[in-house]
Amino acid sequence: MHFISDYILVFIFFVLPVIFVIQPLFLNKINNLKNKIDLPSLKRKKRLLYRQIKELEMEFDIGNINQKDFKISRKELKIEVSEVITKLNSNKI
Amino acid sequence: MNPVAGGVALNLAFGFSILSIITLLIFIRNGDMRLFLTGQRLSLGISFFVFLSTFILWYQLIISNFDIDYVARYTSLETPFIYKISALWAGQSGSLLFWLFILSIFATITVLQNQSKHHGLMPWVIISLAIIQLFFLVLTNFVTNPFMPTDADFVVKNGNGLNPLLQNITMAIHPPTLYLGYVGFSVPFAFAISALMNRDTSPLWIQSIRRWTLVAWLFLSSGIILGGWWAYQELGWGGYWAWDPVENASFMPWLTATAFLHSIIIQEKKDMLRLWNMALIILTFALCIFGTFLTRSGVMSSVHSFTASSLGPIFLTFVFLILIVSFTLMFLRRSDLRSEKRIESFTSRESGFLFNNLVFVVMCFAVFWGTLFPVISEAVRGTKITVGPPFFNQINVPIGLILLALTGVGPLLAWRNTSKQSLIKNFTVPILSGLVAAVIFMAIGFKGSVVISFSLSVFVLATISTEFMRGIKARTKTFNESIVKALITMISKNRSRYGGYIVHVGIVFMFVGFTGHAFDKEKEFSLKIGQTDHVAGYEFTLLKLSETERSNHYAWISDIRVTDNKGEFVTNLYPEKRIYFHKNPDVNRRQPHSELDIYSTLNQDIYSIFSAIDNDNGIAFLKIMVNPLVRWVWIGGYILVIGTMIALWPRKD
Amino acid sequence: MNSNKKFTIMITGVITVVIFWIGWVSSNPKDEKAMATFVSVEKLLNDKINKRTKLGGLVKDGSIIISKTNYLDCSFVLKEGNTELTVKYDRTRPDLFKDGAEVIVTGQYLDGTFYADELQTKCASRYEGDLRDESNYKLTEIKT
């Protein structure tokens, strides 16, 4: 009885992890993700840029940034956002 | 479960970590995604085996298997359950395993969280984490193995047990909290290395580690505060910070991490200071490992570590390797780390942040210098000179005050450049409040740095309130909201910003508490029953001396009545003198302990210690300390934690 | 002068000031208790050092004498190797202070006696994270 439980333990704690680890090696070759456009991080970038615009507006409302800088920075951010959105859209199609 | 399995699991984790590093390195060369997946899973495997061996050790501690050396040394049959659990981090090899355990939790979270994110960064992140894991696996496998069998030619019936005086709940949670902080910086460090490797120095990677850094910082801060609180409540020397090397070891990474938290704001918003941020996070991580070295090595004589350990050189080598590799890498990537943008004016938010950073790092250096001064002086002059708290206080008080001032100035400066008008507009009220406060404090009779500290505190509080006010005003004007609603939406929409300000309020409270130290009074005296003595305007009368036997100790209890100088009753204090193991026939194994009693108010703490008793004549020897404003430190700590939590609270979007 | 240069000068300035400050405090501490020289008992006795010093050693068995009139007053013999020195101490003693304890005392030497104002015992704490090296325990300790 003791024997069997030992075997089960070895199986669970050693064989299973090893199978789990080497399993991907037997898959068909997957495309290298590096060449693909990384959608989630593009989306994150979009979110981030929107947040930055909001924060910028807030800084301006409080008076921590002058009008000229505010306009320039907002324009830069908006251009960046639109670039990201274009990339996102082209990827969807 | 067989304890041997624990050792085997550690071996397997060691093997997996090497395989994981190799696999991922090959992946980086040839880009075969299958290898990446395997490497990722190997990394999960390392953590799995670490978890397994940790749980096995925990299990052995709980069932009191004294065949394992570690279990026999740190627990006994009588040890309460909770302290059997915490015995995992009571000793050296266990605490290294525990460190590894936390690191593995963090590594697992990082891998799982980023399965579909940061494909460029992840290989190097996993490699860096695996290398750190490998270091600790080498230690736990080959240098100090927690599963070593007991080396005795007799059957160990009962273990050594844990010192009963240390069976204190704060002591059970203080080390893991600190560890969570120390280890937490591994993840931002791994991201930093990966960003360097990938030449990806955009603000995006900064964004992805901001949260991690903040979590690690929160744990480190709470760990430090908890340690101080414990020392104050239990150790009976009346203070919470002694500039002990081990305390400094936790304070130094805290300083650089705090600098880092500030300077990444500039990188996020302005894409400046890339190089500086990289250096800061590397330094923070290296200081975390160095901290472990200080606690372990015995290079310093400290309350915490008296003995030399073989681990010292190994840790030191690792710290040097981290520094050399990271800074070489930074040097090779210096062109990527150059930012095009420059700070344009002194009166800008950017320059405020820059100076705050500078001061943090300089303070870190000062602490570092003081901590290593004995070693340096021994190497240079051949005499070992130890430095005490007065040295650290003298050096750090002015630096701390500058930091406090910057806390107030920073938020009032505008990005890029602050116009003269808005300078005047923003600073008038805070500066006036600070000046008025200074005049009032001087009129009361305070002097020197105390006045500066108190008035700066007022100044900072005033700037933070004007910041809140300006935000609320902007909101009520644009959105037509009520003030309360504006306050709530404002905070919840800008959590990191206002959370940060709340942390600043906490820091100000703590500074007020630190300043109170300047007024500490203490006196040691003896009293017979009915006699009275005075300390700092209070009268202490010994009413009664009683004795009692409790389950694990014998105690003498003194009953002291405290009255103020008008004769009004303040409180009764009951400090105790205890003897633990009082039934032990071997007198040397009996252990005296002074259980102190504190009467704490917002204004001051009255701290009493029953130092000794003369039984024949009925005389109690007492030490009384009156420590003003100590409570502010703890309140500041709570505020700091709340503020950090607000900054950390996840957004819905 | 462009702003970049101004900043460089400013930063170097701040760093220089601080380094001077640290150096100055290191060589002229305000409080005499800020620093103490760690010496061996033998060297202290040979050189008759009367500066503030720190000594380490063991409390000689049976040497602790507590004054009958004032329990805070005590004297004991500090042993380091084979050298012995009488130490006087008149403050609250740490709980772990007893025969055979490993102690560090800080104070001043005068005419054959060491007047200590600080007395530290080896911390019994096996807790605080990572305190003592296991190799430090004797197995007999376990037998009890």
Side-chain angles (χ1 to χ4, degrees):
Chain A
M1 207 41 221
H2 196 68
F3 243 97
I4 298 168
S5 71
D6 271 1
Y7 274 112
I8 294 173
L9 281 180
V10 168
F11 184 75
I12 294 175
F13 289 122
F14 182 67
V15 181
L16 280 187
V18 171
I19 294 174
F20 172 73
V21 161
I22 57 175
Q23 181 257 339
L25 296 177
F26 296 100
L27 294 173
N28 290 325
K29 200 164 177 141
I30 324 170
N31 288 331
N32 189 356
L33 273 186
K34 263 189 177 167
N35 304 328
K36 255 196 190 165
I37 287 177
D38 189 353
L39 270 182
S41 44
L42 268 182
K43 277 185 190 153
R44 264 167 59 85
K45 195 164 180 190
K46 189 181 88 180
R47 269 213 312 270
L48 241 162
L49 285 168
Y50 273 130
R51 201 184 287 168
Q52 273 183 319
I53 294 177
K54 269 192 193 161
E55 272 173 24
L56 189 73
E57 281 166 355
M58 155 116 194
E59 298 267 13
F60 178 65
D61 285 340
I62 293 178
N64 271 347
I65 193 164
N66 65 36
Q67 187 132 17
K68 200 178 114 209
D69 283 347
F70 171 66
K71 279 191 174 153
I72 296 169
S73 310
R74 191 163 68 166
K75 207 171 158 196
E76 278 172 3
L77 284 171
K78 287 210 161 155
I79 292 170
E80 233 178 304
V81 167
S82 63
E83 276 169 8
V84 173
I85 292 175
T86 326
K87 260 193 217 165
L88 270 172
N89 286 338
S90 69
N91 232 272
K92 264 181 205 148
I93 311 156
Chain B
M1 169 97 38
N2 196 321
V4 175
V8 175
L10 276 182
N11 291 334
L12 285 172
F14 173 71
F16 269 48
S17 65
I18 292 178
L19 285 177
S20 165
I21 295 167
I22 294 173
T23 318
L24 286 169
L25 285 175
I26 300 174
F27 161 72
I28 289 165
R29 290 224 101 179
N30 72 6
D32 186 341
M33 268 314 277
R34 294 177 294 187
L35 287 174
F36 175 62
L37 283 179
T38 293
Q40 209 174 31
R41 290 184 179 189
L42 278 166
S43 149
L44 291 174
I46 311 171
S47 304
F48 171 75
F49 288 119
V50 170
F51 296 152
L52 193 63
S53 67
T54 312
F55 288 131
I56 291 172
L57 186 57
W58 252 327
Y59 180 70
Q60 300 303 327
L61 286 165
I62 291 165
I63 63 164
S64 291
N65 179 358
F66 298 128
D67 292 339
I68 297 178
D69 189 61
Y70 191 82
V71 177
R73 286 183 197 281
Y74 297 104
T75 60
S76 65
L77 291 172
E78 299 83 24
T79 309
F81 182 76
I82 172 111
Y83 301 111
K84 284 184 174 172
I85 298 282
S86 67
L88 180 65
W89 50 86
Q92 187 181 71
S93 55
S95 61
L96 289 175
L97 181 63
F98 182 59
W99 181 299
L100 190 56
F101 176 69
I102 298 174
L103 181 58
S104 299
I105 295 176
F106 287 166
T108 310
I109 295 174
T110 312
V111 170
L112 295 180
Q113 215 178 31
N114 294 298
Q115 267 175 322
S116 56
K117 274 190 274 180
H118 300 304
H119 277 293
L121 288 175
M122 277 320 278
W124 277 111
V125 170
I126 299 173
I127 291 176
S128 314
L129 288 173
I131 291 174
I132 305 168
Q133 281 175 315
L134 179 64
F135 171 70
F136 283 96
L137 280 166
V138 168
L139 291 181
T140 46
N141 268 302
F142 309 114
V143 184
T144 157
N145 191 322
F147 292 100
M148 257 216 329
T150 309
D151 177 25
D153 49 3
F154 48 86
V155 175
V156 180
K157 288 212 183 69
N158 199 355
N160 219 0
L162 201 66
N163 189 332
L165 308 180
L166 293 159
Q167 297 184 4
N168 172 299
I169 202 69
T170 318
M171 269 336 269
I173 57 173
H174 159 61
T177 320
L178 258 186
Y179 275 21
L180 283 165
Y182 275 164
V183 184
F185 286 108
S186 310
V187 180
F189 171 75
F191 269 93
I193 292 297
S194 173
L196 281 176
M197 281 296 184
N198 287 300
R199 296 172 171 270
D200 174 7
T201 46
S202 65
L204 211 60
W205 79 270
I206 287 281
Q207 187 67 31
S208 57
I209 58 159
R210 201 189 67 94
R211 256 191 137 58
W212 268 112
T213 318
L214 209 51
V215 170
W217 185 85
L218 175 63
F219 280 121
L220 192 57
S221 315
S222 347
I224 293 172
I225 297 168
L226 270 175
W229 191 78
W230 176 80
Y232 188 70
Q233 301 283 326
E234 291 292 322
L235 291 185
W237 49 271
Y240 40 82
W241 190 262
W243 298 105
D244 175 285
V246 174
E247 290 169 352
N248 296 345
S250 60
F251 188 47
M252 287 188 283
W254 186 89
L255 287 169
T256 51
T258 313
F260 181 70
L261 278 176
H262 285 97
S263 68
I264 53 175
I265 299 175
I266 317 187
Q267 187 166 353
E268 262 179 57
K269 297 217 162 149
K270 291 279 179 167
D271 197 11
M272 285 190 262
L273 300 184
R274 287 174 179 180
L275 193 84
W276 177 248
N277 282 327
M278 206 50 103
L280 274 182
I281 191 65
I282 291 166
L283 205 60
T284 304
F285 179 67
L287 282 170
C288 286
I289 301 288
F290 184 69
T292 321
F293 159 72
L294 274 191
T295 10
R296 279 270 158 241
S297 67
V299 168
M300 314 295 150
S301 58
S302 132
V303 207
H304 297 75
S305 58
F306 270 69
T307 48
S309 146
S310 54
L311 283 180
I314 306 178
F315 264 103
L316 210 52
T317 316
F318 190 52
V319 174
F320 275 119
L321 273 180
I322 293 169
L323 288 176
I324 290 168
V325 171
S326 313
F327 283 108
T328 315
L329 203 56
M330 266 179 69
F331 180 74
L332 294 174
R333 296 284 189 267
R334 62 192 183 283
S335 57
D336 300 292
L337 290 169
R338 207 165 283 147
S339 359
E340 309 88 57
K341 293 175 189 163
R342 299 252 169 267
I343 298 178
E344 289 161 45
S345 152
F346 276 121
T347 49
S348 65
R349 181 74 66 93
E350 292 91 323
S351 97
F353 274 123
L354 185 72
F355 280 103
N356 122 318
N357 262 256
L358 205 59
V359 178
F360 269 118
V361 172
V362 152
M363 189 163 186
C364 177
F365 176 74
V367 176
F368 184 80
W369 172 260
T371 312
L372 289 191
F373 195 77
V375 180
I376 299 167
S377 82
E378 196 172 15
V380 176
R381 285 190 271 181
T383 50
K384 191 168 180 178
I385 293 179
T386 59
V387 293
F391 174 82
F392 285 100
N393 289 337
Q394 197 187 346
I395 281 197
N396 286 316
V397 164
I399 304 179
L401 288 178
I402 293 172
L403 267 181
L404 186 60
L406 284 174
T407 315
V409 175
L412 295 183
L413 297 171
W415 292 102
R416 258 196 79 196
N417 192 1
T418 317
S419 64
K420 232 178 219 154
Q421 278 160 283
S422 72
L423 266 183
I424 295 168
K425 197 181 93 196
N426 290 346
F427 278 93
T428 316
V429 177
I431 286 190
L432 276 182
S433 355
L435 284 178
V436 169
V439 171
I440 292 172
F441 289 131
M442 280 197 275
I444 293 174
F446 295 156
K447 277 185 213 115
S449 56
V450 174
V451 177
I452 299 174
S453 172
F454 281 156
S455 7
L456 277 178
S457 301
V458 171
F459 165 68
V460 176
L461 288 180
T463 59
I464 295 171
S465 353
T466 47
E467 266 299 285
F468 272 87
M469 237 105 91
R470 283 200 293 165
I472 292 172
K473 225 190 248 165
R475 274 202 85 82
T476 44
K477 218 161 62 189
T478 356
F479 300 98
N480 234 339
E481 288 168 333
S482 72
I483 291 175
V484 179
K485 199 182 169 224
L487 177 73
I488 294 168
T489 41
M490 179 183 79
I491 293 177
S492 74
K493 292 218 158 157
N494 303 277
R495 293 198 177 121
S496 48
R497 182 198 187 95
Y498 289 100
Y501 286 148
I502 293 170
V503 172
H504 285 177
V505 174
I507 297 287
V508 170
F509 272 61
M510 292 174 107
F511 264 92
V512 172
F514 301 156
T515 313
H517 180 61
F519 303 101
D520 283 2
K521 298 244 161 47
E522 66 167 80
K523 192 171 173 186
E524 292 179 62
F525 51 83
S526 57
L527 290 181
K528 275 188 178 171
I529 293 173
Q531 283 181 333
T532 295
D533 207 328
H534 304 262
V535 184
Y538 289 94
E539 255 182 23
F540 296 82
T541 313
L542 182 66
L543 295 183
K544 206 169 70 184
L545 274 175
S546 53
E547 42 198 290
T548 179
E549 190 173 355
R550 302 202 184 104
S551 65
N552 62 344
H553 64 267
Y554 195 86
W556 288 270
I557 308 156
S558 58
D559 180 350
I560 304 162
R561 192 184 61 204
V562 184
T563 49
D564 64 15
N565 48 10
K566 294 184 210 94
E568 305 247 337
F569 173 77
V570 178
T571 184
N572 272 327
L573 291 170
Y574 305 97
E576 294 181 7
K577 184 86 207 167
R578 294 179 180 173
I579 307 278
Y580 282 89
F581 308 117
H582 60 289
K583 284 180 183 150
N584 199 317
D586 179 0
V587 182
N588 263 323
R589 292 190 68 88
R590 297 181 193 167
Q591 200 163 38
H593 170 68
S594 309
E595 183 73 13
L596 45 95
D597 196 10
I598 305 171
Y599 173 72
S600 175
T601 61
L602 212 49
N603 217 359
Q604 63 195 356
D605 284 10
I606 301 175
Y607 192 100
S608 63
I609 304 157
F610 192 171
S611 337
I613 181 162
D614 176 353
N615 255 331
D616 305 335
N617 304 312
I619 300 174
F621 292 85
L622 301 165
K623 181 169 179 179
I624 302 286
M625 281 180 250
V626 176
N627 302 333
L629 304 175
V630 172
R631 219 186 210 188
W632 289 61
V633 177
W634 318 131
I635 296 174
Y638 287 124
I639 299 177
L640 179 145
V641 170
I642 292 169
T644 319
M645 300 271 235
I646 291 176
L648 271 172
W649 211 260
R651 291 167 194 259
K652 271 180 236 121
D653 62 359
Chain C
M1 193 156 47
N2 64 22
S3 66
N4 203 20
K5 236 183 198 161
K6 257 199 270 178
F7 269 97
T8 321
I9 291 172
M10 192 74 187
I11 290 167
T12 355
V14 170
I15 291 172
T16 332
V17 167
V18 173
I19 286 176
F20 269 104
W21 170 237
I22 292 173
W24 189 80
V25 176
S26 306
S27 47
N28 323 284
K30 190 171 62 180
D31 188 328
E32 55 120 11
K33 282 188 182 169
M35 289 187 186
T37 319
F38 217 119
V39 292
S40 68
V41 177
E42 202 180 339
K43 188 171 158 60
L44 178 92
L45 291 176
N46 287 341
D47 299 1
K48 301 217 171 2
I49 303 171
N50 56 3
K51 275 192 309 187
R52 191 173 167 76
T53 47
K54 230 180 190 30
L55 308 170
L58 300 173
V59 178
K60 189 184 176 187
D61 282 351
S63 71
I64 302 176
I65 302 164
I66 292 167
S67 151
K68 282 271 178 281
T69 49
N70 182 354
Y71 259 41
L72 289 174
D73 273 340
C74 92
S75 79
F76 62 95
V77 175
L78 182 77
K79 253 182 87 167
E80 189 189 27
N82 292 321
T83 345
E84 294 185 354
L85 171 65
T86 308
V87 177
K88 284 203 165 148
Y89 180 72
D90 63 352
R91 300 188 182 201
T92 303
R93 293 179 292 277
D95 289 325
L96 295 172
F97 175 76
K98 58 188 172 196
D99 282 353
E102 201 174 324
V103 291
I104 291 182
V105 288
T106 317
Q108 224 160 14
Y109 175 78
L110 197 72
D111 297 332
T113 311
F114 190 78
Y115 294 89
D117 53 37
E118 262 176 51
L119 175 64
Q120 263 184 301
T121 46
K122 179 166 178 163
C123 184
S125 147
R126 287 175 226 160
Y127 237 94
E128 265 221 281
D130 15 33
L131 306 176
R132 277 164 73 172
D133 192 346
E134 274 118 56
S135 58
N136 198 30
Y137 288 78
K138 290 182 210 96
L139 272 165
T140 47
E141 273 184 77
I142 299 174
K143 230 186 326 189
T144 47

